[in-house]
Amino acid sequence: MLNSRRRWRRYFRFSMAGLAATALAAGLSLAVTPASPASAGAAQPSDGTPATVEQQVWDELAAEGATDFWIHLREQADLGGAESIADWDQRGQFVYDRLTQTAETS
């Protein structure tokens, strides 16, 4: 039981890293390269409400051409049902698919 918990935690960490990478790639694909936020307009999430980009991000982009940032997703992946999947590989694929789908639609 302890070994399966360790594997689950390890897989969860890898899944979260994959989700973060997917979200980052999605954010970078927006081609945020304007000189100023005023000329860019606000990014629009799928629900129509404006995304919030902190001024520090715009400042670093203008000064350096690149920056590090976090993307906070508005939705949380529904992982219910994962615990009922006995096969470890199938469970991992289920979690990965749900996390990726949530990242793509948030």
Side-chain angles (χ1 to χ4, degrees), residues 2-65:
L2 183 59
N3 191 25
S4 67
R5 281 187 180 172
R6 284 183 186 156
R7 286 189 303 176
W8 174 248
R9 283 188 202 131
R10 185 180 324 138
Y11 187 80
F12 182 74
R13 284 187 207 126
F14 285 127
S15 296
M16 292 308 292
L19 175 63
T22 302
L24 178 61
L28 293 176
S29 70
L30 296 175
V32 183
T33 56
S36 71
S39 65
Q44 295 291 322
S46 60
D47 67 357
T49 58
T52 304
V53 179
E54 293 184 13
Q55 187 61 42
Q56 179 181 358
V57 173
W58 293 115
D59 294 344
E60 288 181 18
L61 279 173
E64 301 173 26

Side-chain angles (χ1 to χ4, degrees), residues 33-92:
T33 56
S36 71
S39 65
Q44 295 291 322
S46 60
D47 67 357
T49 58
T52 304
V53 179
E54 293 184 13
Q55 187 61 42
Q56 179 181 358
V57 173
W58 293 115
D59 294 344
E60 288 181 18
L61 279 173
E64 301 173 26
T67 189
D68 295 326
F69 57 91
W70 283 94
I71 298 174
H72 296 273
L73 303 177
R74 294 173 189 219
E75 297 177 30
Q76 185 172 1
D78 178 12
L79 302 179
E83 64 275 354
S84 66
I85 301 173
D87 181 82
W88 185 251
D89 292 332
Q90 289 177 355
R91 180 187 299 185

